Amino acid sequence: MRFPRRPRGPRPPRLLAAFFLTPLLAGCFASSGGDDGAASGAGDGSRLRVALAFPPAENLSPYGADATILSRLGVTEGLTALDANGAAAPALAASWRQEDDHTWLFTLREAAFQDGTDVTPAAVAAALTHATEAEPAPAALSGVTLTAKAVGATGVRVTTAAPDPVLPLRLSSPGLAVLAPKAYGKKGAVDPVGTATGPFALTEVTGATAAELDRFDDYWGGRAQASGVEVRFIADGTARANALRTGQVDLAEAIPVSQAATLDADTRRETATTRTTSLLLNARSGVFKDPALRAAARAAVDTSALAEGVYEGHADAGAGIYGPAVTWAEGKRVQPAGRAKAGSPGGASITLATYDNRPELPEAAQVLKQQLEKAGFKVKLEVRAYSRLESDALAGKFDAFVGARNSLLDTGDPVSLLASDFTCDGGYNLALLCDKGVDRAVAEARTVADTGERQDAALAAEAAILGTDAVVPLVHQRVITGVGSEVSGVLLDPYERTLVGAGTRR
């Protein structure tokens, strides 16, 4: 799809002060070096050339997997963001306070949408309401019912049906980005072109191959140092590495471990992330509806062979749903109980699926195929691009699925991940798990407000999930990003929500 370029309108006088502000997020995460502040006095700046691994799968809807594309490119924002410690930080909301167990009041900062209209309480409340009505619901709203209403000139009151002690974290989700009223069309259609609030405005998308962004001069956090961003969607990891090495792009995400050594040391950035690669077994239908055969598959997997072999030491063997980057989980993990005894596969035929946007996954799946066949399964391997795979996986058309999932991407809250991915009503339940014990453990964890106690409850729920053998954690990844030698101000964070910001430049 192509969209016409958005003509620049006159600068609203109320936002002239934005030139002198420092971007909130520029210093939140480790960068590639240099000054990460906004270019309040910068010239036009060079356009950045960025290679991303995942092409749009849902027409850049903010409610699904494409939401992260928009946040990583500095297009969209929510009321809050995540800081380096995983806590809620101000974004479009300058502050907030909890009024009671069900109600929070958010105070907006002065900001504008990329179409020239003001960010008002009514616009924000409408944006959140649209998110609650989306089908399927954004992962951050899995099992959550909320309403948003404008309050005065700067306030938005958000009320949840059940107490939600982590609502400010939830509202940081890329899937709950705030867009201008004109973005929302009939039948749930959402158009992010020129309607977001970030330092860069999406102006053109060419199918699944490219996108173009222009600097949004009225960004509340300060004028971006780059004049725009040229985006290429390159699913092949070797091609992304080659594009960086030959100077065709300035940034390349998700460099395959097999290509890491081909890049100069000063152009590689390795970031510990909260991303876990897992084997998800279809617990609803087919061979793995039998817990004994799920146990047999889990027993067949050798995770160390994947971490040291496939990932060449750029990953850690799977310890659970939460990996080493989730530092609070270390030493507190609960061992799964009540696992079924492994049964005999007896030559049962299964289809194992994965996607090739992350080049290690097909290789990992091939190793798993060999391990499962050695245990007595007959395995058919199916590899596609992610955009052609997700809907079939969610529909239960495969027996097993190998996927990489950032455990804190959607909300920053460990319990929310479990609700969306492993409960009966979860919107991203690739294992198709529906277990009363798991649902009960997750529901109990959701009611806990104290941070430490909530973490403990999350680990107890994690143990209940692992006890079903519907998910087998394989490895915890360290992501390699290719950064050109002239580029600075890149935003690398363990949640993989950011990449390009107002301070990113070359």
Side-chain angles (χ1 to χ4, degrees):
M1 55 184 171
R2 279 187 173 272
F3 302 99
R5 289 181 178 276
R6 176 183 55 83
R8 294 192 187 280
R11 177 183 308 283
R14 66 192 284 272
L15 289 171
L16 285 174
F19 277 98
F20 305 101
L21 296 176
T22 300
L24 169 74
L25 294 178
C28 282
F29 306 112
S31 78
S32 61
D35 178 18
D36 288 347
S40 54
D44 285 342
S46 300
R47 294 181 74 82
L48 292 165
R49 300 163 302 168
V50 178
L52 298 184
F54 292 88
E58 299 162 333
N59 296 318
L60 286 175
S61 166
Y63 300 142
D66 292 354
T68 309
I69 296 176
L70 297 172
S71 71
R72 285 175 68 75
L73 291 173
V75 174
T76 55
E77 303 172 299
L79 283 179
T80 61
L82 288 185
D83 68 14
N85 297 315
L92 291 176
S95 62
W96 55 87
R97 61 183 174 87
Q98 188 171 11
E99 295 182 322
D100 56 45
D101 287 347
H102 296 261
T103 310
W104 298 71
L105 181 64
F106 293 82
T107 301
L108 303 181
R109 69 172 72 251
E110 189 176 27
F113 291 111
Q114 293 160 354
D115 65 356
T117 61
D118 292 338
V119 175
T120 64
V124 172
L128 292 176
T129 299
H130 283 296
T132 66
E133 297 170 348
E135 294 182 1
L141 293 182
S142 177
V144 175
T145 301
L146 64 79
T147 58
K149 294 184 178 180
V151 179
T154 61
V156 177
R157 179 171 285 119
V158 181
T159 303
T160 55
D164 188 4
V166 295
L167 183 66
L169 277 179
R170 190 179 307 282
L171 293 178
S172 74
S173 170
L176 298 180
V178 174
L179 302 179
K182 68 178 289 186
Y184 303 98
K186 297 179 180 179
K187 297 182 180 179
V190 186
D191 185 359
V193 177
T195 59
T197 61
F200 295 101
L202 185 66
T203 59
E204 186 175 344
V205 179
T206 307
T209 61
E212 190 170 321
L213 288 69
D214 286 346
R215 176 170 52 207
F216 175 44
D217 287 339
D218 294 329
Y219 178 52
W220 63 265
R223 190 169 181 256
Q225 295 191 2
S227 59
V229 184
E230 307 290 342
V231 183
R232 294 169 57 190
F233 298 105
I234 305 175
D236 183 82
T238 300
R240 285 196 303 278
N242 286 339
L244 180 77
R245 191 167 51 248
T246 58
Q248 298 176 55
V249 300
D250 305 304
L251 289 173
E253 71 169 358
I255 297 295
V257 295
S258 62
Q259 293 295 311
T262 69
L263 300 180
D264 293 337
D266 64 350
T267 64
R268 295 195 306 266
R269 303 287 185 275
E270 184 167 317
T271 310
T273 73
T274 55
R275 179 172 294 279
T276 297
T277 296
S278 300
L279 173 64
L280 297 143
L281 304 177
N282 182 347
R284 185 177 70 187
S285 61
V287 170
F288 291 124
K289 185 177 181 180
D290 183 350
L293 292 183
R294 296 201 300 269
R298 184 252 309 160
V301 173
D302 179 3
T303 58
S304 62
L306 297 169
E308 296 302 322
V310 175
Y311 288 86
E312 300 179 14
H314 294 284
D316 301 294
I321 295 170
Y322 311 110
V326 186
T327 54
W328 52 260
E330 191 66 28
K332 299 173 66 176
R333 216 175 288 278
V334 180
Q335 289 301 312
R339 277 176 161 158
K341 183 179 179 181
S344 173
S349 296
I350 62 172
T351 299
L352 172 64
T354 193
Y355 46 96
D356 55 9
N357 306 77
R358 295 186 181 277
E360 297 84 10
L361 295 185
E363 187 177 349
Q366 184 62 48
V367 173
L368 288 171
K369 179 178 183 291
Q370 295 169 1
Q371 293 178 351
L372 291 168
E373 287 177 338
K374 185 177 179 180
F377 292 96
K378 291 181 180 179
V379 184
K380 175 187 175 184
L381 182 59
E382 187 159 340
V383 180
R384 305 179 196 166
Y386 184 82
S387 59
R388 298 179 53 243
L389 193 72
E390 182 189 82
S391 60
D392 281 351
L394 288 170
K397 294 185 178 181
F398 310 118
D399 298 293
F401 182 87
V402 179
R405 178 84 156 115
N406 194 312
S407 61
L408 298 182
L409 172 66
D410 293 322
T411 65
D413 170 40
V415 179
S416 298
L417 166 87
L418 304 183
S420 67
D421 287 24
F422 301 108
T423 62
C424 296
D425 295 328
Y428 196 65
N429 188 349
L430 291 168
L432 301 169
L433 177 65
C434 187
D435 181 273
K436 291 182 179 179
V438 167
D439 277 20
R440 183 167 53 251
V442 173
E444 290 174 356
R446 279 180 139 170
T447 66
V448 181
D450 177 80
T451 299
E453 292 178 2
R454 190 176 182 88
Q455 292 168 353
D456 291 342
L459 291 176
E462 177 197 50
I465 293 165
L466 294 177
T468 69
D469 287 326
V471 56
V472 183
L474 302 174
V475 296
H476 306 293
Q477 293 179 242
R478 302 176 214 139
V479 170
I480 301 171
T481 305
V483 181
S485 58
E486 296 182 352
V487 178
S488 61
V490 181
L491 305 179
L492 304 177
D493 72 278
Y495 316 106
E496 300 180 272
R497 293 181 174 191
T498 63
L499 182 65
V500 174
T504 313
R505 64 190 182 278
R506 68 176 174 95

